[in-house]
């Protein structure tokens, strides 16, 4: 189980790096939101992998809150784009 | 028995993480925002659900399993609607469509016809 989660953490780390790269290089504001949204997904997946690795369920509340905040943030900035323009 | 459950959970977790990595790669392979959203939502959501189910298999007590499955269910609802909002906002804000994303049908039909409920 441990080597599996090591591989999972490595893949998630690379995914987060790619999301950050897109965040920096994003052509428009909408690109940046998409990057941040998938970054939040990577964070939530990371907490899930941690829960799978150690079996402790302390951080699962953070998981729920992070998933919801990611959605609320995305929709809020989406409304902001409509007014300001990308 | 626990050996089998652990290996299944491990496979699920690794598959989910590789899907999240696929989403990250997809962000760079596509031309513009609208095609990138496909990459950012679909595989990432499926990958997240795999990871959560893998973690749920190994979770010790009842509450933990419920939280994990709750987030998986929430993700299925929120990811498409969030991406739809971003896409609509980006289109209205005038983000240019690269030619690679195909025909722009929304422009050819006048807006009035869209709302007409015949």
């Amino acid at each position: 189980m441990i080597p599996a989660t090591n591989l999972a953490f490595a893949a998630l780390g690379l995914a987060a790096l790619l999301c950050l790269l897109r965040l920096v290089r994003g052509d428009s504001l909408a690109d940046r939101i998409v990057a941040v949204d998938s970054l939040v997904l990577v964070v939530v997946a990371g907490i899930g992998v941690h829960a799978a690795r150690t079996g402790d369920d302390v951080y699962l509340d953070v998981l729920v809150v992070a998933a919801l905040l990611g959605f609320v943030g995305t929709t809020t900035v989406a409304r902001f784009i409509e007014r300001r323009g990308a | 028995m626990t050996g089998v459950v652990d290996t299944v959970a491990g496979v699920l977790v690794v598959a989910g993480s590789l899907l999240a990595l696929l989403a990250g790669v997809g962000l760079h392979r596509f031309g513009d925002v609208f095609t990138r959203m496909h990459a950012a939502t679909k595989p990432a959501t499926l990958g997240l659900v795999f990871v959560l189910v893998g973690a749920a298999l190994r979770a010790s007590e009842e509450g933990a399993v419920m939280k994990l499955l709750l987030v998986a269910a929430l993700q299925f609802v929120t990811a498409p609607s969030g991406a739809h909002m971003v896409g609509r906002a980006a289109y209205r804000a005038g983000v240019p469509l690269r030619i690679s994303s195909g025909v722009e049908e929304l422009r050819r039909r006048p807006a009035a016809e869209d709302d007409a409920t015949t």
Side-chain angles (χ1 to χ4, degrees), chain B residues 3-96:
Chain B
V4 173
V5 170
D6 275 359
T7 45
V8 169
V11 166
L12 276 177
V13 163
V14 170
S17 303
L18 290 180
L19 274 171
L21 177 60
L22 193 68
V25 168
L27 278 183
H28 288 278
R29 288 286 299 163
F30 286 116
D32 60 355
V33 150
F34 305 102
T35 43
R36 262 178 218 137
M37 271 194 304
H38 288 287
T41 48
K42 282 192 274 260
T45 308
L46 185 62
L48 181 63
V49 167
F50 278 175
V51 166
L52 293 177
V53 169
L57 284 179
R58 274 181 53 83
S60 49
E61 46 115 13
E62 186 60 34
V65 175
M66 293 317 290
K67 277 179 207 155
L68 288 163
L69 298 185
L70 169 70
V71 173
L74 278 179
Q75 210 50 50
F76 272 124
V77 174
T78 52
S81 52
H84 167 70
M85 283 197 72
V86 172
R88 189 187 59 185
Y91 183 76
R92 284 192 184 151
V95 172

